Amino acid sequence: MDRKVNILVVDDEQIVLDSIQKLVRKENYEVHGALSVGEGLNLLEKKEIDIVLTDLMMPEVDGLEFMAMVKKSHPRIPTIMITGYATINTALQATQLGAFDYIAKPFSKKELLGVLKRASDLVLGTEEEKTNGNGGEKRSRENIKTVGDHSWMMMEEDGVVLLGVEGSFIQSIGKVQTIYLPEKGDELRQGGAYLQIFSTDMRSHSILSPLSGTVVEVNGKVLENPVSALQDPYGEGWLIRLKPSRFEEERRVLGL
């Protein structure tokens, strides 16, 4: 890392804040601790926060509610949920709602640094894309619209929309093992998962469709060799072509 990555940790137990600070002390992270959601929101406005770690079970406002607040005001900040073993199912639900990942108490230094490294790669990879203009991409970024945290789309001349995944997201999950895409003729709905990636550590990562419509083409190169194709996510690594069914209405929902 070329610079310190700023982490906001929100947990109502001081011992957890102290533990995380101790575990990352010799790494390239700056930790800002908050014992309440209100204090955490205040730090978000005052500091340049890159990553948020939040406890799931907190009084007054829980981690899911806080994550929704972070997503609304700072949609590109990865949020990691801290949870007890008894609430892992809820933590999995949190990832489906937009959490970058979760980590279960009690966690080891290796587990903590592992998830922070992947989140940091996402943050720093996004910054590099902005600085370098996405390097060797084959399509003009003027025509590509970023959707949410991880997706992009581009309207083609025939009214079909090309969908893909952000390069920074691919960098953050490590080596891809398996990828699942819909088939030609499948109907997608806005907000439904249309891409599922399994990384070599067997973690599952889903991407939600920004639009409803019919799949008219699937990129066979991605299915045949995802590791190679996804190295060029804006070129040969595009995912599907979609014929939108409610484009104007759903585009307004997306704020495009």
Side-chain angles (χ1 to χ4, degrees):
M1 303 177 194
D2 296 326
R3 67 167 179 83
K4 289 267 188 186
V5 173
N6 289 299
I7 304 169
L8 170 62
V9 185
V10 181
D11 197 297
D12 60 333
E13 296 182 71
Q14 185 67 50
I15 190 172
V16 175
L17 302 183
D18 294 341
S19 175
I20 292 174
Q21 177 71 66
K22 181 179 179 180
L23 290 174
V24 304
R25 182 175 297 160
K26 296 182 180 180
E27 308 298 327
N28 204 25
Y29 298 110
E30 186 75 33
V31 177
H32 306 273
L35 288 167
S36 68
V37 166
E39 188 180 346
L41 291 172
N42 187 45
L43 284 170
L44 270 174
E45 297 307 316
K46 290 183 176 180
K47 305 289 184 180
E48 292 293 329
I49 300 298
D50 298 303
I51 301 168
V52 171
L53 278 81
T54 177
D55 191 19
L56 177 59
M57 303 302 292
M58 293 186 292
E60 298 183 5
V61 179
D62 66 21
L64 291 177
E65 293 175 285
F66 177 53
M67 183 183 72
M69 296 176 187
V70 174
K71 284 290 179 184
K72 184 175 181 179
S73 58
H74 301 82
R76 291 197 172 272
I77 295 181
T79 304
I80 300 165
M81 199 66 64
I82 305 171
T83 176
Y85 283 121
T87 56
I88 284 181
N89 285 336
T90 309
L92 288 170
Q93 293 175 0
T95 62
Q96 295 175 340
L97 293 173
F100 176 79
D101 208 338
Y102 69 88
I103 184 168
K105 299 177 186 176
F107 47 80
S108 67
K109 180 177 181 179
K110 182 178 180 180
E111 289 171 327
L112 177 63
L113 293 182
V115 71
L116 288 178
K117 172 65 165 57
R118 289 189 296 107
S120 298
D121 287 346
L122 175 62
V123 170
L124 299 176
T126 299
E127 290 181 354
E128 184 176 354
E129 285 181 3
K130 290 179 180 178
T131 301
N132 298 334
N134 293 293
E137 68 188 56
K138 299 177 183 178
R139 295 184 172 85
S140 171
R141 287 293 283 171
E142 294 179 1
N143 298 322
I144 290 178
K145 303 295 184 182
T146 300
V147 186
D149 292 341
H150 308 314
S151 298
W152 61 262
M153 66 183 218
M154 184 180 75
M155 175 66 77
E156 299 189 313
E157 293 181 1
D158 57 0
V160 170
V161 174
L162 195 67
L163 299 182
V165 63
E166 288 285 329
S168 56
F169 172 70
I170 296 299
Q171 293 174 14
S172 73
I173 65 176
K175 189 174 181 180
V176 175
Q177 169 123 349
T178 310
I179 187 169
Y180 295 96
L181 286 168
E183 297 182 353
K184 182 178 178 180
D186 283 353
E187 295 292 329
L188 302 186
R189 62 177 177 81
Q190 187 181 55
Y194 82 97
L195 164 70
Q196 189 172 28
I197 297 176
F198 283 92
S199 49
T200 52
D201 60 3
M202 294 313 295
R203 289 182 179 271
S204 174
H205 310 268
S206 297
I207 297 293
L208 306 184
S209 177
L211 299 171
S212 302
T214 305
V215 177
V216 297
E217 186 180 359
V218 179
N219 189 349
K221 290 183 179 180
V222 172
L223 293 174
E224 292 170 7
N225 193 344
V227 174
S228 174
L230 291 175
Q231 289 179 356
D232 183 17
Y234 309 101
E236 69 173 14
W238 62 272
L239 300 176
I240 64 171
R241 285 189 165 89
L242 185 76
K243 184 67 175 178
S245 57
R246 303 169 59 196
F247 180 73
E248 291 300 327
E249 178 182 345
E250 292 182 341
R251 183 178 68 171
R252 288 193 291 272
V253 171
L254 294 171
L256 300 176

